[in-house]
C-alpha cells in the first residue's frame, strides 16, 4: 500500500479549528519528514517541517506521535505543522485580506530526516477557510460608518460584537469573520486610512464609534440591550474609551491595550483626552540590532490626575484584559494590573486579567504564525514585538476560547 495522508476534516476546515493529520502505508518504524506550506495573497511562502518515525504498523498519527528534534518543533504537538509556519521572507506577517477565499495548505511526506528533503512519498491539499457555510458578509456604508458585518447562519438574533484593530488603519476582517462562525454578529470597523475616512486623523471622535454601536443595536439580527467590543492594541484603547464614555457597552475584551490615549487624542462632545508623551530616544537596541520600544511610553500612572489616562472606572461594562507578558510595544500586563487596582479601589469587581507568558504584542486567533519582529506600529522601524513560538501557540488557542466564553456569558 502506497503511503497516503489522512486529514480530518478531509478537504476543508476553518482557520481557527484543529486539523487532525495522520499518515498511513509507511514501513514499520520508517523515518519521514512532514512539511506544510501555504502562500499568502501576495504569493509569499510560509513553511514548517517536522521529523517523525512511524509505529510498528507503519502508521503515523500526529495526535499520538511526538516529533523528533531537528524540525520546526519537537514533542507531541498535533497542530505544530500549522502553528509553526514561518515566512521564507524575513519579518513578513501572514495577513488575510479577502476572507471569502480560503488559504490553501499543502502537506508533503518526504523520506528520511536529512538536511536535504528526501523522495516525496505522499502529498495532500487542504483549504483553511474563514467563513462557515451560511455566514453572510455584509459591507456597511451607513452614515459615516465604514465596516463589514458578519452574520451567523439563520434568521435568529445574535449577540453583537464590534471588532476594532490597532494602528495601521484600513479594514481587517479575519477575526470578525471567524467570530461570526461561533454565533456572534460581528462588525469589523475601520476608523482611519480606509476609503473616505481620514488618512491621518488629528483626533478620534467617539461619536463615530457611537454611530457604530447604534447601528448594531438597531439591526434586527443583533440581540440587545448592549454590545461587546473586541479591541487589539490601539483598537483596545479605543474600546476602553468607548466603554468609559458611551452607553450600551456591556462587555469589553482588550488585547494588549495601552490604557492611556496614544498618538491620536480622543474627543467626545466637549471632552478631550490628550495623548501620553512618547520618548523615542528611550528605545533600546537589542543584541540582534532590532529596536526595543517597550520603555518609550510615559507612565500614565506616575503623575496623579494624568489627563491622558482613560477613565475606565466610569464604565459599566465587564472587562477581560488579555495581556502578553513579553509584549515589547506596550507594557500591557502592568497597565491592566494598575487599571484593575483603580477599579478595585472603587469597589468594582467587573474585571478579569488573563496573562500569558512567552506571548508578545500580537495576539491573533489560533494558528496564525508568530510575528515576533516587525514594523513598529508608531515608529515604522524594525522592532521587537515579542513572543516565543510554542508558548504563543498555546496562548492563542486558550485566549480565543476565553474571549468567546466571556462574550457568551455577558452578551
Amino acid at each position: 500500500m502506497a503511503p497516503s495522508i489522512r486529514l480530518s476534516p478531509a478537504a476543508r476546515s476553518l482557520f481557527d479549528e484543529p486539523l487532525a493529520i495522520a499518515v498511513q502505508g509507511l514501513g514499520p518504524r520508517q523515518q519521514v519528514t512532514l512539511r506544510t506550506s501555504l502562500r499568502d495573497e501576495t504569493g509569499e511562502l510560509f513553511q514548517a517541517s517536522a521529523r517523525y518515525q512511524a509505529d510498528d504498523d507503519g502508521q503515523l498519527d500526529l495526535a499520538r506521535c511526538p516529533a523528533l528534534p531537528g524540525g520546526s518543533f519537537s514533542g507531541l504537538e498535533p497542530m505544530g505543522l500549522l502553528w509553526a509556519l514561518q515566512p521564507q521572507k524575513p519579518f513578513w506577517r501572514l495577513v488575510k485580506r479577502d476572507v471569502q477565499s480560503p488559504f490553501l495548505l499543502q502537506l508533503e511526506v518526504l523520506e528520511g530526516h536529512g538536511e536535504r528533503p528526501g523522495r516525496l512519498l505522499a502529498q495532500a491539499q487542504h483549504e483553511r477557510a474563514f467563513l462557515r457555510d451560511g455566514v453572510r458578509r455584509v459591507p456597511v456604508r451607513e452614515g459615516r460608518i465604514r465596516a463589514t458585518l458578519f452574520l451567523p447562519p439563520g434568521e435568529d438574533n445574535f449577540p453583537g460584537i464590534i471588532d476594532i484593530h490597532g494602528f495601521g488603519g484600513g479594514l481587517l476582517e479575519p477575526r470578525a469573520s471567524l467570530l461570526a462562525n461561533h454565533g456572534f454578529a460581528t462588525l469589523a470597523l475601520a476608523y482611519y486610512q480606509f476609503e473616505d475616512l481620514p488618512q491621518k486623523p488629528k483626533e478620534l471622535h467617539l461619536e463615530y464609534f457611537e454611530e457604530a454601536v447604534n447601528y448594531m443595536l438597531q439591526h434586527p439580527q443583533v440581540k440587545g440591550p448592549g454590545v461587546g467590543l473586541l479591541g487589539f492594541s490601539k483598537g483596545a484603547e479605543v474600546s476602553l474609551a468607548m466603554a468609559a464614555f458611551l452607553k450600551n457597552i456591556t462587555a469589553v475584551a482588550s488585547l494588549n491595550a495601552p490604557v492611556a490615549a496614544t498618538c491620536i487624542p480622543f474627543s467626545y462632545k466637549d471632552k478631550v483626552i490628550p495623548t501620553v508623551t512618547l520618548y523615542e530616544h528611550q528605545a533600546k537596541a537589542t543584541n540582534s540590532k532590532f529596536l526595543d520600544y517597550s520603555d518609550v511610553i510615559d507612565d500614565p500612572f506616575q503623575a496623579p490626575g494624568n489627563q491622558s489616562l482613560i477613565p475606565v472606572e466610569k464604565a459599566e461594562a465587564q472587562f477581560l484584559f488579555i495581556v502578553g507578558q513579553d509584549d515589547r510595544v506596550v507594557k500591557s500586563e502592568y497597565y491592566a494590573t494598575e487599571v484593575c487596582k483603580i477599579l478595585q479601589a472603587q469597589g468594582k469587581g467587573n474585571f478579569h486579567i488573563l496573562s500569558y507568558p512567552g506571548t508578545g504584542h500580537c495576539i491573533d486567533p489560533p494558528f496564525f504564525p508568530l510575528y515576533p519582529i516587525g514594523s513598529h506600529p508608531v515608529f515604522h522601524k524594525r522592532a521587537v514585538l515579542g513572543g516565543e513560538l510554542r508558548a504563543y501557540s498555546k496562548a492563542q488557542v486558550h485566549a480565543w476560547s476565553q474571549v468567546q466564553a466571556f462574550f457568551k456569558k455577558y452578551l
Side-chain angles (χ1 to χ4, degrees), residues 96-169:
K96 190 77 178 99
R97 296 287 172 198
D98 175 14
V99 297
Q100 296 175 98
S101 68
F103 276 131
L104 194 60
L105 185 71
Q106 309 278 358
L107 294 98
E108 297 169 305
V109 183
L110 305 158
E111 200 169 46
H113 287 170
E115 283 307 306
R116 311 195 87 136
R119 186 166 60 95
L120 180 68
L121 302 176
Q123 58 183 337
Q125 280 194 353
H126 185 83
E127 290 185 349
R128 295 287 278 170
F130 286 80
L131 295 177
R132 191 186 292 287
D133 288 346
V135 171
R136 285 156 294 157
R137 178 186 175 276
V138 184
V140 178
R141 305 290 181 272
E142 297 252 339
R144 290 179 296 176
I145 304 169
R146 303 292 173 261
T148 305
L149 178 63
F150 292 93
L151 290 166
E155 295 307 309
D156 296 345
N157 56 11
F158 305 97
I161 296 171
I162 300 175
D163 179 32
I164 307 175
H165 266 275
F167 255 111

Side-chain angles (χ1 to χ4, degrees), residues 40 76 110 121 171 262 280 313 382 394 403:
D40 72 6
L76 186 64
L110 305 158
L121 302 176
L171 179 58
T262 55
E280 190 176 357
E313 65 280 3
R382 186 128 318 134
K394 302 278 184 282
V403 163

Side-chain angles (χ1 to χ4, degrees), residues 16-255:
D16 61 342
E17 277 183 343
L19 175 66
I21 303 171
V23 183
Q24 51 202 19
L26 297 169
R29 319 286 300 161
Q30 184 173 354
Q31 294 193 337
V32 289
T33 298
L34 268 61
R35 184 166 67 192
T36 44
S37 48
L38 172 157
R39 285 192 187 276
D40 72 6
E41 290 155 322
T42 67
E44 290 298 337
L45 181 65
F46 288 73
Q47 279 192 325
S49 67
R51 297 174 172 188
Y52 286 98
Q53 184 167 0
D55 66 14
D56 294 335
D57 301 328
Q59 304 284 336
L60 172 57
D61 181 347
L62 271 55
R64 292 204 297 271
C65 184
L68 305 170
S72 304
F73 59 92
S74 60
L76 186 64
E77 295 290 352
M79 287 294 287
L81 285 167
L82 282 92
W83 59 247
L85 284 165
Q86 284 294 292
Q88 299 304 290
K89 181 178 182 173
F91 320 117
W92 192 254
R93 188 173 191 184
L94 184 65
V95 176
K96 190 77 178 99
R97 296 287 172 198
D98 175 14
V99 297
Q100 296 175 98
S101 68
F103 276 131
L104 194 60
L105 185 71
Q106 309 278 358
L107 294 98
E108 297 169 305
V109 183
L110 305 158
E111 200 169 46
H113 287 170
E115 283 307 306
R116 311 195 87 136
R119 186 166 60 95
L120 180 68
L121 302 176
Q123 58 183 337
Q125 280 194 353
H126 185 83
E127 290 185 349
R128 295 287 278 170
F130 286 80
L131 295 177
R132 191 186 292 287
D133 288 346
V135 171
R136 285 156 294 157
R137 178 186 175 276
V138 184
V140 178
R141 305 290 181 272
E142 297 252 339
R144 290 179 296 176
I145 304 169
R146 303 292 173 261
T148 305
L149 178 63
F150 292 93
L151 290 166
E155 295 307 309
D156 296 345
N157 56 11
F158 305 97
I161 296 171
I162 300 175
D163 179 32
I164 307 175
H165 266 275
F167 255 111
L171 179 58
L172 291 167
E173 300 181 0
R175 195 170 56 197
S177 65
L178 291 172
L179 265 181
N181 299 324
H182 296 282
F184 299 99
T186 313
L187 186 77
L189 181 66
Y191 56 105
Y192 77 110
Q193 278 182 18
F194 181 71
E195 294 183 0
D196 56 353
L197 293 174
Q199 283 299 304
K200 291 187 170 176
K202 298 272 183 286
E203 286 183 338
L204 290 179
H205 299 283
L206 291 177
E207 287 84 351
Y208 172 77
F209 300 94
E210 191 168 39
E211 218 174 297
V213 172
N214 294 337
Y215 167 80
M216 287 295 274
L217 290 175
Q218 285 157 13
H219 195 285
Q221 282 195 267
V222 174
K223 183 164 133 187
V227 297
L229 306 177
L230 173 59
F232 161 65
S233 191
K234 179 71 180 180
E237 176 196 309
V238 170
S239 302
L240 297 178
M242 289 169 73
F245 290 99
L246 308 181
K247 292 186 175 64
N248 302 319
I249 312 287
T250 306
V252 178
S254 149
L255 302 167

